[in-house]
Amino acid sequence: MNGPYGQQLAVTGVGVVSPWGDGPGTAHAARGTAPAGNGDWFDHRDRLGPRGYKYLPAAAQYALAAARAALADGGRPDAVPDHRRGLLLATNAGLAGLFDVMDTTVAEDGGAARLSPATAPYFAVNVLGNRLAAELGLRGFALTVANERTAAVDALATGALALAAGRCDTLLMAAAEEPPPGGRGEQGAAALALEPLAAARARGAGVHALVAARSLFLPLRALGSPAGRDGAVNRLAEVLAAVPGPRTVHLDLDGSAVSETVALAVARAAAGRTVPPPGGATAEPRRAQPLSPQRGAGCLGPAFAVAHAVTTAREEDRIVVTADGAGHVALVRISSAPAHHTQESQHAETA
């Protein structure tokens, strides 16, 4: 079903890899920020096998492990031919450490000839997902979305467009980060296996939840005037208020002017949609979790929030809203999947 949040997609598999544990709930509670002194927590021999992975960048190892977990959880891209499977990788600082080492090698240690043959192929962020695409046979397309905070939700929105346009039949979205040089940053990965609900039902797949994402952009110049700021708040409030009934809003923001505008829109949407129910009591407002006060260098906070919401989906919808100081805003709605009635059960109900 299409709507203000875009096309709904069924999530048939979820995988999370994090220093705090591989459960979506524990990763979400930690908000993606890597603990100090925990850079060697991931052992590829346990999660990926003993050979062939040692020299992969850490973010590539995380993404591959999370993707495998999503497939083990029920995602089945191999249910369709490999040329009908798509990949969207989301990251911001996933190769920052490797880039720093490569820059130092070229500038100070004798030029590009001194680069390691194992790391030289990763000269650009858009090759981070190559190993993932090759191992899982995701040959329809492989795209990388690289920006702070919103990348994972932007990837979901882009994937929905690709499925709607017929570019693929199944999609894997993976978000992976590694702390940048000199900073704690974010660390780990989250992966979702996605497909149209009808296709998932046709093959008898279990569906965790439905997701529908949308990306927006707030020009910074527009926020410089009261009229522009109010217009942006009203537009965002309309999108947020488009989902009827109570639901939880999770905010992952950075304290910028853009994020303040988003927070105002969430508050306005809640106030505008609260009406007195029968009996005169005050209806429950739509809840928003507190703003994140710190700036983040990655996209794992929202990715872990979505993974957690997907695996705990219930009747009440959840909305994850994220934004960065450059003007990017992304929203994803997580809904419980409708009950599936087979032909036999429909006959039984009729009888």
Side-chain angles (χ1 to χ4, degrees), residues 8-19:
Q8 284 187 318
L9 299 178
V11 180
T12 54
V14 180
V16 166
V17 171
S18 83

Side-chain angles (χ1 to χ4, degrees), residues 4-332:
Y5 293 83
Q7 182 185 23
Q8 284 187 318
L9 299 178
V11 180
T12 54
V14 180
V16 166
V17 171
S18 83
W20 316 273
D22 295 348
T26 55
H28 168 55
R31 301 185 64 80
T33 302
N38 202 31
D40 58 351
W41 63 273
F42 183 90
D43 190 339
H44 69 87
R45 293 168 298 181
D46 292 338
R47 293 189 172 131
L48 298 177
R51 298 178 181 277
Y53 302 98
K54 179 178 179 180
Y55 296 105
L56 287 181
Q61 295 183 29
Y62 303 159
L64 187 54
R68 286 186 178 180
L71 268 59
D73 185 48
R76 286 287 309 277
D78 59 351
V80 302
D82 56 8
H83 68 279
R84 299 296 301 164
R85 311 171 197 164
L87 168 66
L88 277 160
L89 184 80
T91 191
N92 186 56
L95 286 178
L98 183 60
F99 288 166
D100 189 61
V101 171
M102 294 173 73
D103 289 345
T104 300
T105 299
V106 172
E108 301 176 7
D109 297 339
R114 299 294 298 273
L115 292 174
S116 166
T119 58
Y122 296 94
F123 65 93
V125 70
N126 65 324
V127 298
L128 181 58
N130 282 9
R131 182 65 175 264
L132 179 57
E135 288 209 9
L136 300 184
L138 308 174
R139 296 187 173 87
F141 63 85
L143 302 175
T144 299
V145 180
N147 57 288
E148 184 177 338
R149 287 191 183 269
T150 67
V153 182
D154 287 337
L156 288 174
T158 301
L161 291 174
L163 281 163
R167 293 191 61 188
C168 61
D169 296 319
T170 64
L171 179 72
L172 183 74
M173 190 287 291
E177 297 288 3
E178 168 71 2
R184 291 178 63 184
E186 294 180 349
Q187 191 171 16
L192 301 178
L194 305 150
E195 59 189 285
L197 179 59
R201 295 302 198 203
R203 68 179 182 85
V207 177
H208 284 290
L210 302 178
V211 296
R214 180 172 182 178
S215 297
L216 304 168
F217 183 72
L218 298 182
L220 299 184
R221 288 182 296 178
L223 303 182
S225 68
R229 183 183 178 92
D230 199 53
V233 169
N234 284 333
R235 180 68 186 107
L236 285 172
E238 290 175 1
V239 174
L240 288 162
V243 179
R247 80 280 198 274
T248 300
V249 178
H250 172 82
L251 295 172
D252 195 298
L253 308 174
D254 63 1
S256 64
V258 174
S259 289
E260 291 174 2
T261 301
V262 172
L264 286 172
V266 170
R268 188 168 298 182
R273 297 291 294 180
T274 298
V275 296
T282 302
E284 180 185 16
R286 297 177 173 187
R287 301 180 299 281
Q289 297 180 14
L291 281 169
S292 170
Q294 73 275 10
R295 292 179 179 269
C299 64
L300 282 186
F304 286 156
V306 172
H308 176 58
V310 163
T311 54
T312 57
R314 51 181 184 263
E315 290 185 4
E316 180 180 274
D317 285 352
R318 301 186 190 186
I319 308 292
V320 175
V321 184
T322 183
D324 65 22
H328 303 104
V329 181
L331 314 92
V332 56

